[in-house]
Amino acid sequence: MSIIRKATSSEVGPDLTFVLSDATVDRMGDTIDPAGWDLRWFRKNPIALFGHDSAFPIGKWADVRVEGGKLIGRLMLAAEGTSARIDEIRRLVEQGVLRAVSVGFKPLEAEPKDKAQPWGAQTYKRSELLETSLVSVPANPAALALAKSLSISDD
């Protein structure tokens, strides 16, 4: 099976905790069962990418877990000064401009939502998490972050 990527929109908390995925129907009509996440290999290399670009790591994920029907993780961006691009991403996150994440995963078990359209919308029952990226456009608009404020002025 191929790698699938699904994005969620989040308000980012002060500790950069994101809801990486939940069971919300996304814009393609698909859902991912949170109880079906296999995190074993991801935890050995919890890479954070930008836009699913394996040549553009921006940090790593910590405390990735399924809790309350949501896949949750804390983004630990690379240190300020690592590169001009990392510093730019850091500022965009701090301003709330970049606040969406996307999971890259390998489906292990899936079934069509409509058996008459087997190539249409899917329910992913078991999935192996491969990577998680900071992205600009989310697929899953309903995921919420655990915290609500960055303590940033409206300006």
Side-chain angles (χ1 to χ4, degrees), residues 45-97:
N45 184 38
I47 193 74
L49 302 175
F50 185 74
H52 298 291
D53 184 347
S54 63
F56 195 174
I58 60 170
K60 61 184 180 177
W61 292 95
D63 197 23
V64 176
R65 68 205 182 277
V66 175
E67 182 179 293
K70 297 174 178 151
L71 180 63
I72 298 168
R74 185 169 28 91
L75 177 60
M76 299 173 64
L77 288 168
E80 191 168 348
T82 299
S83 73
R85 187 70 171 137
I86 295 282
D87 291 350
E88 176 186 359
I89 287 170
R90 181 179 289 282
R91 299 300 173 267
L92 291 169
V93 169
E94 288 171 353
Q95 294 174 50
V97 174

